[in-house]
Amino acid sequence: MDTKSERALKGPQDGAQFLNGHEPPRPPPPARRLAIISWTTFSVGVNFALLAMMFVQPSSPSDWFSKARLLPQEHLKKTNGSAPCYNSANRVLCLPRPPSPRLSFSASEHLLLCSGNGHYVIEDEETGACHCHACFSGGHCEQLDPDCHLNLFHGDPTLFEEYWLTQPDAPTVIPSWQGMSYFAHRNNDYLFVDYFLEQAIRKIHGMVGNAVTEGRYIVLGVGSTQLYQAALYALASPESPSPTPVVSAIPHYSSFEGCTKFMDSRKYKWVGDAEKFKRSATKDQPYIELVTSPNNPCGSMNKPVVNGNGSVVNDLAYYWPHYTAITAPADYPIMLWTMSKISGHAGTRLGWAIVEDASVAAKMAYFIQLNTLGLSQDAQARGITLLRAIMSSYENQRAGGVERERQPFFHYGQAVLEGRWRRMRQALDNTSRFDLPEYESSFCSFLGKNFRANPAFLWLKCKAEEDCQQLLKENKIIARGGAVFGMSTQYVRVSMLDRHPLFDLLLARLASLK
Amino acid sequence: MDTKSERALKGPQDGAQFLNGHEPPRPPPPARRLAIISWTTFSVGVNFALLAMMFVQPSSPSDWFSKARLLPQEHLKKTNGSAPCYNSANRVLCLPRPPSPRLSFSASEHLLLCSGNGHYVIEDEETGACHCHACFSGGHCEQLDPDCHLNLFHGDPTLFEEYWLTQPDAPTVIPSWQGMSYFAHRNNDYLFVDYFLEQAIRKIHGMVGNAVTEGRYIVLGVGSTQLYQAALYALASPESPSPTPVVSAIPHYSSFEGCTKFMDSRKYKWVGDAEKFKRSATKDQPYIELVTSPNNPCGSMNKPVVNGNGSVVNDLAYYWPHYTAITAPADYPIMLWTMSKISGHAGTRLGWAIVEDASVAAKMAYFIQLNTLGLSQDAQARGITLLRAIMSSYENQRAGGVERERQPFFHYGQAVLEGRWRRMRQALDNTSRFDLPEYESSFCSFLGKNFRANPAFLWLKCKAEEDCQQLLKENKIIARGGAVFGMSTQYVRVSMLDRHPLFDLLLARLASLK
């Protein structure tokens, strides 16, 4: 699994290799795959949720379902978000009923039936089953495999799932006739940009105070991954006889290199290390510098290093209060943002660029048009709902609590990450194997308090001269080695954003490394 | 508008030029833009929907709303899909109530209040307004501007909106906690592919009988536009010292050239005309041939022409019963498909490739990963709902009619397009200016009858040696000239898929050309 993860960054070599630690695709035998999500014999583990339901332990799927019909319906009604529900055979069913298997819309089914460690898959009105997240098993995903390989290779932000599962109500409802046209608003200047989403983006930056949006253009993309490529396309010098160099101070985001190289474009070329480039570059040489701040992998507040006549792209994915103090609105010519790291909705693939110059914005939008003919209006609908839900979590608070009150989102996120970092530092105190970067405390204008950064990643350096990724791997922690960030193998990046039982397991394993 | 459309294919030149007939982006002054969707004085036009409501003609927005409260609620309840609704101050409101402006979820508001010619935007619980589609105006979008510029430059499939607005129930409901991870199923071989969507894709091809999927891989992309690029990436010869030539028989899809060229890749190069390439190519020269069938622009059932040792990509976007008879399941190594042309949901940006070879599938998926880190899970959720709705429109029929019965989708689509083509031929009989391709009749195994193709585009040739796009432009029809399809300016492509009042206007204008 781990070696596959490593190789995945290089891509498939001979067709046998697939993505990110997964096997090459096989045409799925439907019977076998359904079996994965069919009922297993109910195990001996009884978790808190089942206790809360005060059930005796059923012994078979059919037995279980006879009990499930007795589920506390009031609770289900209260927690299932706003999916429209009705009673059928003493069981609460949520509309629209799927004609074949799909995930339940009811948060309570995931929390109660699958212990919050899996998703409940409805097969028909009478049967369903938990589809457990990695490292969990059991009919109710109640068993955490203590020997499992902890895959913290990606920055998959599943940490936030708990917030959305437990806070009532923020479903995205898309009627069948909505968003059919290629164009969000046919007579709109912004062909593929939903006006309501644009409003919500400007409003949330205004509320948090983390970016200047007035007088700027909003360009949307399929995640900031695509917008990064759109920016390269827009900024590559058309006059230059040779490809425009692309540089970034090390350690830099590991995907920059792959995303810059994979098309083998004549427009730009990956050079990497910005400091080294600065020393060798001539005064008027064009270049594109990528600045991630807070930085991925190490959390530092980076600034451009070249300071020549090139262009700068500011990747601000993590400049939100859960990760770092907001000290001033970011104000750069090209700023990249993504839903993934705000609300945790990486799967929505929604990013935006705030762009100062009209012609750069137009070229970026033109890239999006040629590359994917715009981006999903369903993703945009989701973005509107989620950004509004985050903002309304503050409006509700200010109103002193009304119905459907939500926990203020950034306060929640900051508290969870701060707690994780406190516990991580305690765990690392138990071991003398690693060094951690230092983070200074700053005053956050949004949260109104001083705090240290709580980065999305743990950027570890092994004190001994050893391959730090390999050390973690031997301890069943799959993480990303320093080399792809432009650093030595003595460094390794570990996600801090996984689900809490897996984070706990990570702590235990790190603390045990003497 | 038209000249901008032409230039759009070449992209922005000086920053002043933007996309597809639209102005360059300007930072929107919110006040001005909201004004566009605020109430206008109710006009004198009274359309069928208002008649059906048997209202006297109100004279002001407030007057209108006092009447609107008397809307036949039964009708609203019946037609508003499954958006959960409740009564408030005698008006039906649909959940979740938006905290700030957005589109109404109620189909009846679009159909009744906006005459089916616009979308109803809710500003708050008491106010809302129609946002009219191009060429329509009036407080209820009841006025069709007879002098408007008919923009039929794109193949925007808004024709299908009427089906989804009038057929009850197929909303996509996405709870806030769903689809957060980058990975659709973390332990799935297909990292970014929702298993339920894969099932639905295989099932609908099986039902229609238009493609072999057994033993094949499904690769998803942000529309077939992205998958086309993924296929080029996967098929470009890594051994060849020079870029792999990309060819397609003319007339070929107009976007192939732009999508192949824009990244200026060293992996492949646009060559174009496949017949010409065939004559000059050496026996073992690698190449990639693109075959669109039914062809865009001209609707013909194309086959590869080079027949050498290259690769072929089959674009089968239009191989569905509304456009052409299904004569046999398509069975090619790489087949591209898209939601846009099946159900009309272009804005969802959901395409899929059916791929025979594991290593090609893996390379295509790797391209999707580097380009956009997968595709929106919200788009995938929408795809599941819509494909299932299409399939259930047949299941309901077979069951002899149950609740929530839908009109069988492909039967509906085929009938509408057949009707349009019949009227189009009649209209063109009135003029001697144009030639049309001939289409033969074939037996469709799915619909169980013989019929001629009803292509998505009208492919006109001006009989006189003139610029046919220019001729239409002078008659306020914006269409795509033959040059971008590799043909002469004597040809022009016109979309057959726009909303019906605009199609009617197209007929009238073409018939008037003596």
Side-chain angles (χ1 to χ4, degrees), chain B residues 264-506:
Chain B
D264 202 2
S265 173
R266 296 181 190 89
K267 292 181 175 292
Y268 46 76
K269 67 173 176 199
W270 175 253
V271 167
D273 190 350
E275 288 285 0
K276 198 170 155 190
F277 174 82
K278 183 185 182 179
R279 291 192 294 272
S280 66
T282 56
K283 190 167 167 286
D284 293 324
Q285 187 169 355
Y287 66 88
I288 302 167
E289 181 172 358
L290 313 167
V291 180
T292 307
S293 181
N295 194 28
N296 176 353
C298 66
S300 58
M301 298 301 292
N302 284 5
K303 299 278 173 203
V305 303
V306 184
N307 295 320
N309 286 320
S311 308
V312 177
V313 178
N314 282 84
D315 169 9
L316 293 154
Y318 301 95
Y319 192 48
W320 292 97
H322 14 294
Y323 306 108
T324 196
I326 304 303
T327 53
D331 186 4
Y332 306 108
I334 301 172
M335 302 188 268
L336 306 186
W337 306 85
T338 172
M339 274 308 286
S340 307
K341 310 306 177 194
I342 305 171
S343 65
H345 292 82
T348 287
R349 311 305 309 121
L350 179 63
W352 58 90
I354 303 173
V355 183
E356 196 166 28
D357 182 79
S359 97
V360 171
K363 283 179 189 164
M364 288 179 71
Y366 185 65
F367 174 95
I368 306 291
Q369 183 188 7
L370 283 168
N371 189 200
T372 55
L373 249 175
L375 72 157
S376 176
Q377 292 196 37
D378 307 303
Q380 296 191 50
R382 191 95 191 273
I384 296 166
T385 307
L386 295 168
L387 291 178
R388 286 180 177 180
I390 291 171
M391 289 187 278
S392 83
S393 74
Y394 285 92
E395 286 158 17
N396 287 349
Q397 197 196 31
R398 277 201 294 274
V402 290
E403 56 165 338
R404 290 197 251 155
E405 184 182 347
R406 275 190 205 89
Q407 203 173 346
F409 180 76
F410 293 113
H411 286 71
Y412 167 92
Q414 200 270 344
V416 170
L417 270 163
E418 193 159 75
R420 285 192 175 193
W421 272 97
R422 189 175 50 246
R423 294 173 61 215
M424 178 57 75
R425 288 196 173 90
Q426 286 164 0
L428 294 177
D429 280 347
N430 278 327
T431 168
S432 54
R433 303 287 287 266
F434 305 106
D435 273 335
L436 256 187
E438 290 285 331
Y439 301 108
E440 280 181 24
S441 182
S442 300
F443 183 76
C444 175
S445 56
F446 179 70
L447 295 180
K449 64 174 185 178
N450 267 286
F451 62 92
R452 276 198 292 191
N454 303 303
F457 298 102
L458 185 66
W459 180 239
L460 288 178
K461 184 183 182 186
C462 276
K463 286 185 184 169
E465 273 194 24
E466 60 186 328
D467 184 326
C468 212
Q469 181 185 27
Q470 184 60 30
L471 171 70
L472 294 192
K473 181 179 152 187
E474 285 157 11
N475 290 276
K476 296 181 176 141
I477 300 165
I478 313 306
R480 201 172 283 191
V484 291
F485 302 95
M487 301 285 281
S488 84
T489 57
Q490 221 173 324
Y491 287 85
V492 66
R493 189 198 80 168
V494 186
S495 171
M496 292 284 289
L497 301 184
D498 216 305
R499 295 182 173 91
H500 73 83
L502 302 187
F503 180 75
D504 293 347
L505 192 57
L506 169 68

Side-chain angles (χ1 to χ4, degrees), chain A residues 131-430:
Chain A
H131 193 184
C132 301
H133 303 320
C135 293
F136 292 97
S137 61
H140 300 278
C141 307
E142 71 283 6
Q143 290 169 336
L144 174 58
D145 173 10
D147 290 327
C148 87
H149 287 262
L150 261 181
N151 191 338
L152 302 169
F153 187 85
H154 304 279
D156 205 17
T158 47
L159 153 73
F160 297 101
E161 192 183 272
E162 194 169 305
Y163 177 86
W164 297 105
L165 268 171
T166 56
Q167 300 296 309
D169 202 22
T172 303
V173 182
I174 309 172
S176 57
W177 47 266
Q178 194 175 291
M180 294 183 66
S181 171
Y182 287 108
F183 310 115
H185 297 290
R186 199 155 182 175
N187 297 315
N188 195 339
D189 295 340
Y190 294 68
L191 279 189
F192 303 117
V193 177
D194 188 296
Y195 168 62
F196 303 125
L197 178 58
E198 195 191 315
Q199 267 193 321
I201 287 170
R202 292 179 189 273
K203 199 171 161 191
I204 200 166
H205 283 300
M207 182 183 96
V208 173
N210 64 342
V212 172
T213 63
E214 234 172 271
R216 309 293 169 95
Y217 306 94
I218 306 286
V219 181
L220 298 185
V222 185
S224 55
T225 304
Q226 189 187 32
L227 287 164
Y228 163 67
Q229 292 161 63
L232 294 187
Y233 176 85
L235 297 172
S237 171
E239 295 85 32
S240 174
S242 56
T244 304
V246 178
V247 304
S248 190
I250 55 172
H252 52 64
Y253 176 38
S254 49
S255 292
F256 283 151
E257 181 172 351
C259 289
T260 309
K261 283 174 156 179
F262 82 116
M263 286 305 295
D264 202 3
S265 172
R266 295 180 189 89
K267 291 181 176 292
Y268 46 76
K269 66 173 175 200
W270 176 252
V271 166
D273 190 351
E275 288 285 359
K276 196 170 157 191
F277 175 79
K278 182 187 182 180
R279 292 191 294 272
S280 67
T282 57
K283 190 167 166 286
D284 293 324
Q285 186 169 356
Y287 65 89
I288 301 167
E289 181 172 356
L290 312 167
V291 180
T292 307
S293 181
N295 194 27
N296 176 355
C298 67
S300 58
M301 298 302 293
N302 284 5
K303 299 277 173 203
V305 303
V306 184
N307 294 319
N309 287 319
S311 308
V312 177
V313 178
N314 282 85
D315 168 9
L316 294 154
Y318 300 95
Y319 191 48
W320 293 96
H322 15 292
Y323 306 109
T324 196
I326 303 303
T327 53
D331 186 4
Y332 305 108
I334 301 172
M335 302 188 269
L336 305 186
W337 306 86
T338 170
M339 274 308 286
S340 307
K341 309 306 177 193
I342 305 172
S343 65
H345 291 82
T348 288
R349 311 306 309 124
L350 180 63
W352 58 90
I354 302 174
V355 183
E356 196 167 27
D357 183 77
S359 96
V360 171
K363 283 178 189 164
M364 288 179 71
Y366 184 66
F367 174 96
I368 306 291
Q369 184 189 5
L370 282 168
N371 189 199
T372 55
L373 248 176
L375 72 157
S376 176
Q377 292 195 37
D378 307 304
Q380 296 191 51
R382 190 91 192 274
I384 296 167
T385 307
L386 295 168
L387 291 178
R388 286 180 177 178
I390 291 172
M391 290 187 277
S392 84
S393 75
Y394 285 92
E395 286 158 17
N396 287 349
Q397 197 196 32
R398 279 200 293 274
V402 290
E403 56 166 338
R404 290 198 248 155
E405 185 182 347
R406 275 189 203 90
Q407 202 173 347
F409 179 76
F410 293 114
H411 285 71
Y412 168 92
Q414 200 270 344
V416 170
L417 270 164
E418 193 159 74
R420 286 194 175 192
W421 272 96
R422 190 175 52 245
R423 294 172 62 215
M424 178 58 76
R425 288 195 174 89
Q426 287 165 359
L428 294 176
D429 281 347
N430 279 327

